[in-house]
């Protein structure tokens, strides 16, 4: 990694690590997993600090190998539906870091009602990262129920489709693919779809996962210090997100003042795009208030509390060929850390992409009034395109500062050309279209693709999130992202700055850095499914307690009784058991026997 100017001459590589990982480093990962970072002490030597930073970084690399991240994307046949319709979809299941077909061979797809009740669950076989299926929007439970009342359509409202592999359940629900669709009432006049009827709002879906804040009825403003902390006496950059009553971003202007909202303005703020913006100011011991103007009215919002200790991070990931930034530490914090250097890692989709060190010994930084600034620069040349997590940490494994940033180094694309047999068609006339896929140099390629055909008019319900924006952007962020395709329409300064603000205001990581590094435990509860798995727990009938050491025998039989599968296992200490089941179609009968 290269330095940017004379002030960064003390910003060195960690000698044991390079951005590109070789097979030798992979082997070293396995050897270092039994080692732990050095405990914090009064003063660490440079060699001890390097070794501890190396062990922590290699621990995060091993975590990505043991618990790989997967992503699921569903391509649907429409953007909205009517009661009684069928939701058709094609799914891609990939390794998040490489984009190659994932190791999981089973995909779960669920349909949730407007109230959040799961109505259906599909368990689908994945072949080479691809699978397709359908979800009828009708209540069609059992033959007896259909005989009594017939088949009923689900009521109108917003329905959610979720999709995930079992391995994705090791992380929280934000890792799961989710898409919300309006389901309109059947038209009063058959065939007249000009006035769709739907009496609910999208606002509740859009605002899910938003942090709780002191909001007003028609305006909510949330503040996000870059790096995670406001540090007193140190210049801090703060991003913000302003949301209106409908859940969409709104434009505001305002000033940062003291706790009572008076005195001189310490900073000015204004939105740049979709309710997002940023400002820089120096926090004091008093709490600070943002006085903002929206729709002709003034509102007041409290900023987060500031700390005497900590680190303030400011990063420019928008301009130039390097990721340039600075870490600012109060002098008291610098002395208390007791280390000559800090570690920095860049992760993307759980994969360790780069490691470096930042020297913070006396004389290394640029001193100011009571604090020290440490500039750094990280090369982006070898980084994959997508969301990256930058973490600054101590040799003892404590995270000082962390944020997300987006790196755009381009993506390889397949160009798809559609050639219809006619320029115009009569209503209901047969349409014939030929498709050709080619690489950037025009060479034909063989690749699977899915196609949906729908009316040009979509009642404003079309999602702008496609497979590119989802895989690279929205799947790595928390909550609802409005018009994610807008951030890829241009590479000008406005779009790059807005994308950086999106990283700051909707940042989210599947797993904490300390868990990845092995400083804190992480329980892998779900493993990659390479086939069907049947699992459960054996409990006593009277006391509802787990029964350990019991033998469970499973037998499943085909409807014609011509095929069967049998297996036996012993329950563990918690009474849990699991069976691997060979693939089968249709509905088979199962019998379980338990004996101690």
């Amino acid at each position: 990694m290269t330095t940017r100017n004379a002030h960064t001459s003390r910003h060195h590589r960690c000698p044991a690590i390079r951005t590109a990982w070789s097979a030798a480093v992979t082997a070293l990962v396995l050897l270092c997993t039994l080692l732990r970072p050095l405990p914090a002490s009064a003063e660490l030597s440079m060699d001890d600090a390097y070794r501890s930073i190396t062990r922590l970084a290699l621990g995060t690399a091993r975590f990505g190998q043991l618990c790989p991240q997967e992503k699921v994307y569903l391509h649907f046949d429409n953007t909205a539906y009517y009661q009684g319709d069928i939701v058709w979809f094609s799914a891609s299941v990939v390794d998040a870091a490489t984009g190659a077909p994932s190791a999981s061979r089973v995909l779960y797809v669920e349909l949730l009602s407007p109230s959040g009740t799961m109505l259906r669950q599909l368990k689908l076989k994945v072949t080479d990262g691809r699978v397709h299926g359908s979800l009828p929007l009708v209540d069609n439970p059992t033959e007896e129920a259909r005989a009594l009342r017939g088949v009923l359509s689900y009521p109108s409202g917003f329905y959610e489709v979720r999709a995930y592999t079992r391995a994705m359940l090791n992380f929280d629900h934000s890792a799961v693919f989710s898409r919300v669709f309006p389901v309109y009432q059947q038209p009063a006049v058959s065939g007249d779809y000009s006035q769709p009827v739907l009496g609910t709002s999208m606002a509740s879906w859009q605002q899910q996962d938003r942090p709780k804040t002191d909001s007003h009825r028609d305006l909510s403003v949330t503040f996000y210090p870059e790096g995670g902390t406001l540090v007193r006496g140190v210049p801090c950059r703060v991003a913000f997100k302003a949301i209106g009553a409908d859940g969409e971003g709104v434009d505001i202007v305002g000033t940062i003042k003291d706790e009572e909202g008076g005195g001189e303005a310490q900073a000015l703020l204004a939105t740049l795009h979709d309710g997002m913006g940023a400002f820089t100011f120096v926090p004091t011991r008093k709490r600070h208030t943002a006085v903002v103007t929206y729709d002709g009215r003034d509102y007041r919002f409290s900023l987060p509390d500031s700390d005497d200790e900590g680190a303030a991070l400011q990063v420019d990931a928008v301009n130039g060929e390097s990721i340039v930034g600075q870490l600012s530490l109060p002098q008291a914090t610098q002395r208390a850390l007791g280390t000559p250097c800090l570690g920095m890692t860049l992760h993307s989709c759980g994969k360790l992409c780069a490691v470096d060190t930042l020297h913070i010994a006396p004389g290394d930084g640029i001193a100011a009034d009571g604090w020290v600034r440490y500039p750094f620069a990280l090369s982006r040349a070898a980084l994959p395109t997508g969301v990256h997590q930058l973490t600054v940490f101590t040799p003892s494994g404590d995270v000082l500062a962390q944020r997300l940033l987006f790196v755009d180094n381009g993506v390889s694309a397949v160009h798809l050309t559609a050639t219809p047999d006619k320029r115009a068609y009569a209503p209901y006339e047969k349409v014939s279209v030929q498709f050709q896929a080619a690489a950037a140099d025009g060479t034909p390629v063989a690749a699977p693709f899915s196609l949906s055909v729908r009316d040009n008019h979509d009642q404003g319900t079309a999602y702008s999130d496609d497979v590119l924006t989802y895989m690279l952007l929205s799947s790595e962020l928390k909550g609802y992202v409005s018009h994610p395709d807008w951030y890829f329409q241009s590479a000008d300064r406005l779009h790059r700055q807005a994308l950086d603000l999106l990283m700051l205001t909707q940042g989210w990581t599947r797993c904490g850095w300390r868990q990845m590094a092995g400083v804190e435990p992480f329980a892998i509860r779900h493993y990659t499914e390479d086939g069907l798995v049947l699992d459960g727990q054996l409990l006593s009938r009277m006391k509802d307690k787990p029964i350990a050491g019991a033998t469970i025998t499973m037998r499943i039989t085909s409807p014609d009784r011509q095929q069967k599968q049998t297996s036996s296992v012993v329950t563990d200490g918690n009474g849990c058991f699991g069976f691997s089941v060979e693939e089968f179609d249709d509905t088979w009968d199962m019998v379980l026997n338990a004996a101690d």
Side-chain angles (χ1 to χ4, degrees), residues 50-120:
Y50 274 149
R51 281 194 291 268
S52 188
I53 289 171
T54 300
R55 293 175 188 132
L56 290 165
L58 290 174
T60 65
R62 181 174 183 267
F63 181 89
Q65 295 173 343
L66 293 178
C67 194
Q69 296 181 13
E70 296 180 340
K71 289 186 181 181
V72 174
Y73 179 79
L74 267 59
H75 178 206
F76 294 92
D77 66 319
N78 218 326
T79 61
Y81 298 89
Y82 283 82
Q83 290 179 282
D85 284 352
I86 299 177
V87 179
W88 297 92
F89 61 85
S90 175
S92 299
V93 186
V94 301
D95 181 279
T98 65
S102 73
S104 291
R105 295 294 179 264
V106 181
L107 176 66
Y108 298 82
V109 181
E110 298 173 348
L111 176 66
L112 277 70
S113 71
S115 63
T117 302
M118 188 172 70
L119 303 173
R120 292 177 180 269

Side-chain angles (χ1 to χ4, degrees), residues 301-316:
F301 297 91
S302 297
L303 267 65
D305 292 333
S306 58
D307 296 326
D308 285 325
E309 298 182 354
L313 181 68
Q314 293 189 39
V315 177
D316 181 1

